[in-house]
Amino acid sequence: MRLRKRRAQIRSNVDMTPMLDVVFQLIIFFLVSTTFAILPGIKLNLPQSRTAEGTSVQGITITAQSNGNFYFNDKQVSLAALSVELSNFDTGDIKKDEFPVSLEADSEVTNGTVVSIFDVIRENGFSMINLRTTSEKK
């Protein structure tokens, strides 16, 4: 009986565990790095409220400091320039009266200043205005 010699077939296996570990680490890195909220760097002492509700920070943010400075998002403006910025702002497909505007006013800002800002906002067609406050500590 004649025996045939078999050629040994070389089979190689690639261990996928290290690659999966690296991919998993990258996924975690990107998930963690993209979930940070961008908070404005403007120092404010927001008034406290017992009925404050959390909202997402989207749209336009107008900030009024106690020293008289106004900010349109992160850009410092005067009250007259605020009107220009609002009139030139592109809301995309959303109508201006449905586009959210958040007003952050220091607790030392006078009522007259807040009313002036409300007037400028409404004159430019925006009507969804949120007043930012902090929750009152019990």
Side-chain angles (χ1 to χ4, degrees):
M1 187 187 248
R2 200 172 194 187
L3 295 175
R4 289 188 198 170
K5 285 188 176 180
R6 285 181 145 181
R7 288 191 180 177
Q9 291 180 350
I10 301 174
R11 293 184 184 204
S12 62
N13 291 331
V14 177
D15 189 14
M16 298 295 285
T17 305
M19 186 179 75
L20 290 174
D21 287 343
V22 169
V23 169
F24 184 67
Q25 294 288 333
L26 287 172
I27 289 171
I28 289 175
F29 171 76
F30 286 116
L31 284 175
V32 169
S33 66
T34 58
T35 57
F36 292 114
I38 298 173
L39 300 174
I42 303 166
K43 299 275 186 191
L44 285 181
N45 183 18
L46 292 174
Q48 294 184 351
S49 171
R50 287 189 305 268
T51 60
E53 295 179 10
T55 60
S56 62
V57 180
Q58 295 178 354
I60 300 170
T61 301
I62 298 172
T63 307
Q65 289 183 315
S66 59
N67 60 4
N69 292 337
F70 299 104
Y71 292 88
F72 178 82
N73 291 332
D74 291 333
K75 180 181 178 184
Q76 187 171 359
V77 294
S78 65
L79 196 57
L82 178 62
S83 180
V84 173
E85 291 288 337
L86 285 169
S87 64
N88 293 335
F89 188 78
D90 181 24
T91 60
D93 294 336
I94 303 171
K95 291 189 272 182
K96 278 191 172 184
D97 61 342
E98 295 175 359
F99 197 81
V101 177
S102 295
L103 176 58
E104 300 175 338
D106 193 282
S107 61
E108 302 297 319
V109 172
T110 63
N111 190 36
T113 304
V114 173
V115 170
S116 298
I117 295 170
F118 267 87
D119 286 342
V120 169
I121 294 170
R122 286 191 200 121
E123 287 170 355
N124 286 287
F126 295 94
S127 60
M128 279 190 58
I129 305 169
N130 300 311
L131 286 175
R132 290 221 28 226
T133 59
T134 57
S135 296
E136 196 173 76
K137 295 180 182 176
K138 295 180 181 180

